[in-house]
């Protein structure tokens, strides 16, 4: 199997293209610093993952920036810190400031020459607009949790995407789903029969950070530690 076998790359955004963990930890500093016991970076991220995943199951129709406000409220309760609803809402708006990984924009601009580029994200449309400006590329399609009414790892999100890609004349076997999260992306990609590429951003760290443990590790077809590595591997295939 070669990267050049595919016609479309479907991307998770947050954790893969946008450095959501850095964005989260930075935005949570005022809250986490008041916790009764000191919190490591990974402890903050793992608590966030628990509350976010639970809330996505409970309120799948709630848009992401509003869902994050509830996550902030749950974290404040868990850590024993007072937080106003305004604080909670402001955390939801922090998505706008989450930084792009330094290699994402350049890699996407290169890959755009060879593939259709698609976003499948748990974000809301307004928040993604701010991230898209940082990514510096025009995607061929953008499918959000707000559009679909559910959150990954629900198979509904992948089925929705595949149905819409059919309308763009992209068949399932021409799609490579490209993502960091084993829980949100690779496991459901396995379940719907999509080939996948793991962008292992957390290769130098422990655990799963801001995503839940996937259980048994899913299968993946390619593995890189950055978008730059993916682009370089494609370039080497294309110009051996």
């Amino acid at each position: 199997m070669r990267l050049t076998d595919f016609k479309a790359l479907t991307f998770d955004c947050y954790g893969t293209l946008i450095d959501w963990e850095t964005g989260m930890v930075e935005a949570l500093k005022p809250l986490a610093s008041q916790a009764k016991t000191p919190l490591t970076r990974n402890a903050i991220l793992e608590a966030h993952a628990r509350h976010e995943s639970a809330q996505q199951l409970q309120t799948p129709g709630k848009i992401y920036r509003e869902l994050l406000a509830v996550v902030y409220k749950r974290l404040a309760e868990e850590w024993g810190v007072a937080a106003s609803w305004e604080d909670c809402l402001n955390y939801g708006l922090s998505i706008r400031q989450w930084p792009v990984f330094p290699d994402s924009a350049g890699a996407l601009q290169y890959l755009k020459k060879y593939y259709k580029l698609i976003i499948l994200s748990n974000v809301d449309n307004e928040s993604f607009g701010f991230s898209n400006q940082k990514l510096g590329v025009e995607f061929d399609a953008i499918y959000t949790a707000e559009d679909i009414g559910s959150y990954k790892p629900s198979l509904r999100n992948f089925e929705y995407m595949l149905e819409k890609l059919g309308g763009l004349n992209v068949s399932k076997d021409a799609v490579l789903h490209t993502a960091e999260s084993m829980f949100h992306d690779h496991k459901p990609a396995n379940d719907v029969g999509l080939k996948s590429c793991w962008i292992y951003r957390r290769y130098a760290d422990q655990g799963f950070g801001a995503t839940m443990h996937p259980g048994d590790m899913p299968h993946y077809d390619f593995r890189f530690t950055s978008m730059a590595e993916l682009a370089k591997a494609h370039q080497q295939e294309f110009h051996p």
Side-chain angles (χ1 to χ4, degrees):
M1 191 185 304
R2 294 164 57 84
L3 291 166
T4 47
D5 294 339
F6 300 93
K7 295 179 181 177
L9 301 178
T10 57
F11 288 98
D12 166 59
C13 181
Y14 299 93
T16 305
L17 305 175
I18 296 287
D19 185 359
W20 73 331
E21 293 191 344
T22 294
M24 284 175 183
V25 169
E26 191 63 31
L28 288 169
K29 269 183 181 175
L31 188 69
S33 65
Q34 299 177 69
K36 292 174 181 176
T37 55
L39 294 162
T40 65
R41 178 184 171 94
N42 276 339
I44 293 168
L45 294 172
E46 287 162 10
H48 196 286
R50 275 191 288 104
H51 290 297
E52 181 184 273
S53 182
Q55 196 61 43
Q56 287 171 342
L57 282 171
Q58 292 296 323
T59 55
K62 187 181 285 289
I63 63 174
Y64 189 58
R65 65 181 183 274
E66 295 176 1
L67 186 139
L68 283 187
V70 182
V71 171
Y72 191 92
K73 182 167 68 167
R74 297 284 92 89
L75 289 170
E77 291 163 355
E78 180 175 325
W79 296 337
V81 182
S84 69
W85 184 239
E86 185 180 3
D87 294 334
C88 299
L89 291 173
N90 284 337
Y91 178 62
L93 296 176
S94 73
I95 304 167
R96 301 175 181 190
Q97 280 78 51
W98 290 358
V100 65
F101 283 110
D103 62 307
S104 292
L108 288 169
Q109 287 156 16
Y110 168 79
L111 294 165
K112 175 76 173 172
K113 300 172 190 174
Y114 303 97
Y115 299 98
K116 287 187 183 297
L117 303 183
I118 318 294
I119 289 288
L120 180 67
S121 175
N122 276 350
V123 76
D124 59 273
N125 292 314
E126 182 181 300
S127 299
F128 181 73
F130 289 90
S131 300
N132 202 0
Q133 290 173 23
K134 298 182 180 80
L135 293 170
V137 73
E138 186 175 341
F139 290 94
D140 294 277
I142 298 161
Y143 307 126
T144 66
E146 182 177 5
D147 298 336
I148 301 164
S150 58
Y151 285 93
K152 296 181 296 181
S154 172
L155 298 188
R156 288 184 74 240
N157 296 59
F158 288 83
E159 289 159 355
Y160 178 99
M161 178 182 75
L162 289 170
E163 181 186 341
K164 298 301 181 190
L165 288 180
L168 298 178
N169 297 314
V170 177
S171 61
K172 184 196 286 191
D173 61 359
V175 173
L176 182 64
H177 190 59
T178 306
E180 211 287 337
S181 177
M182 286 285 157
F183 174 77
H184 294 102
D185 289 279
H186 291 279
K187 188 174 188 307
N190 284 186
D191 291 343
V192 299
L194 275 174
K195 298 289 191 291
S196 71
C197 173
W198 188 18
I199 306 298
Y200 188 19
R201 294 287 191 182
R202 288 180 55 85
Y203 69 95
D205 211 337
Q206 299 293 314
F208 293 90
T211 71
M212 296 293 285
H213 194 295
D216 293 337
M217 281 293 280
H219 170 80
Y220 53 89
D221 300 281
F222 300 91
R223 175 190 176 278
F224 305 102
T225 59
S226 68
M227 285 293 297
E229 270 192 16
L230 165 60
K232 184 178 179 182
H234 178 276
Q235 195 169 31
Q236 287 170 344
E237 279 190 19
F238 211 73
H239 303 288

